[in-house]
């Protein structure tokens, strides 16, 4: 089933449950401040440890009903499928302090995607969110800019993702400025996108 933009907005907004700011906050600004100062304030540390001990999501980085074991199992199967389809081991890693669960990297030598000017093979990154089985992927150049994907790479990755029940979110949807209910976590001066909300550090 093909989703139109209105369906995507409905899906993302349903996943973006409003979360009240934590007193003595654990948002991006307070964490960066703590890193600069070299110490984590006790209220932040206690709140963070309490959530981890309970094994519960906070609704911001982790959905409240998050099943870590199921997410890990599906993520591991995705890494295996991508390694099989590309005929090479694909490294993977889990994200921290992020709404992203983890990423899998297809090595450049296995990719058919190329840099426009130099025709240099590009590595591919496949990322999955902790929210709603959302997924995204792309090629990155050495400059860090997203590049055009070869249709063969696009087909392989999307087959692996959809075969495991992931929802591949279109790039133009994720590139839209974030206007959901949890903008407080980004602070007043940061212009973030829906990619940040579901696939990046919070």
């Amino acid at each position: 089933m093909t989703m139109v933009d209105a369906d995507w907005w409905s899906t993302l907004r349903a996943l973006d449950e409003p979360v009240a700011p934590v007193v003595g906050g654990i948002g991006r600004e307070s964490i960066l401040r703590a890193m600069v100062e070299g110490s984590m304030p006790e209220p932040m540390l206690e709140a963070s440890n309490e959530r981890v001990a309970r094994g519960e999501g906070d609704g911001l980085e982790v959905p409240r009903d998050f099943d870590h074991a199921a997410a890990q199992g599906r993520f591991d199967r995705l890494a295996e499928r991508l390694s099989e389809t590309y005929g090479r081991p694909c490294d993977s890693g889990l994200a921290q302090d992020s709404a992203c669960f983890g990423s899998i990297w297809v090595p450049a030598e296995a990719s058919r995607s190329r840099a426009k000017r130099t025709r240099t093979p590009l590595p591919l990154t496949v990322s999955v969110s902790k929210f709603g089985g959302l997924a995204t992927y792309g090629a990155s150049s050495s400059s860090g800019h997203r590049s055009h994907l070869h249709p063969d790479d696009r087909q392989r990755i999307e087959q692996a993702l959809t075969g495991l029940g992931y929802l591949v979110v279109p790039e133009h949807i994720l590139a839209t400025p974030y206007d959901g209910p949890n903008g407080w976590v980004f602070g007043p001066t940061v212009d973030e996108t829906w990619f940040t909300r579901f696939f990046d550090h919070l």
Side-chain angles (χ1 to χ4, degrees):
M1 178 182 104
T2 303
M3 292 174 65
V4 298
D5 285 6
D7 295 329
W8 279 113
W9 289 125
S10 178
T11 298
L12 295 186
R13 291 187 188 286
L15 292 171
D16 192 23
E17 177 184 348
V19 178
V22 178
V23 177
I26 318 177
R28 172 184 285 185
E29 287 184 347
S30 56
I31 289 175
L32 290 176
R33 193 177 317 112
M35 290 172 64
V36 170
E37 293 171 357
S39 65
M40 184 79 74
E42 196 60 35
M44 284 175 59
L45 195 56
E46 287 176 7
S48 179
N49 289 340
E50 182 182 348
R51 285 187 328 198
V52 172
R54 288 196 313 259
E56 296 176 0
D58 61 3
L60 190 63
E61 292 178 4
V62 184
R64 298 186 195 281
D65 60 352
F66 187 63
D67 185 336
H68 188 278
Q72 184 69 62
R74 183 160 61 158
F75 181 75
D76 292 343
R77 290 193 300 278
L78 177 61
E80 290 170 6
R81 284 195 185 188
L82 289 172
S83 295
E84 288 170 6
T85 194
Y86 278 98
R88 292 176 182 263
C90 294
D91 291 334
S92 63
L94 301 182
Q96 294 183 352
D97 302 320
S98 173
C100 180
F101 182 78
S103 296
I104 300 164
W105 299 278
V106 177
E109 55 269 22
S111 164
R112 294 192 64 189
S113 299
R114 302 285 184 267
K116 287 184 179 179
R117 292 182 183 169
T118 63
R119 306 303 301 156
T120 305
L122 297 171
L124 311 175
T125 302
V126 181
S127 297
V128 301
S129 177
K130 294 172 185 166
F131 288 80
L134 304 179
T136 187
Y137 63 91
S140 296
S141 65
S142 56
S143 65
H145 295 108
R146 302 284 267 192
S147 301
H148 176 72
L149 256 74
H150 190 280
D152 182 61
D153 288 324
R154 195 173 291 279
Q155 180 180 15
R156 290 185 190 199
I157 292 171
E158 291 202 8
Q159 281 182 346
L161 287 167
T162 57
L164 287 168
Y166 287 104
L167 291 173
V168 184
V169 189
E171 289 180 40
H172 74 278
I173 295 289
L174 292 178
T176 304
Y178 177 76
D179 61 353
N182 296 304
W184 59 267
V185 75
F186 304 124
T189 59
V190 183
D191 183 21
E192 302 293 354
T193 65
W194 282 90
F195 175 87
T196 314
R197 173 64 188 96
F198 288 119
F199 291 96
D200 208 344
H201 297 283
L202 297 175

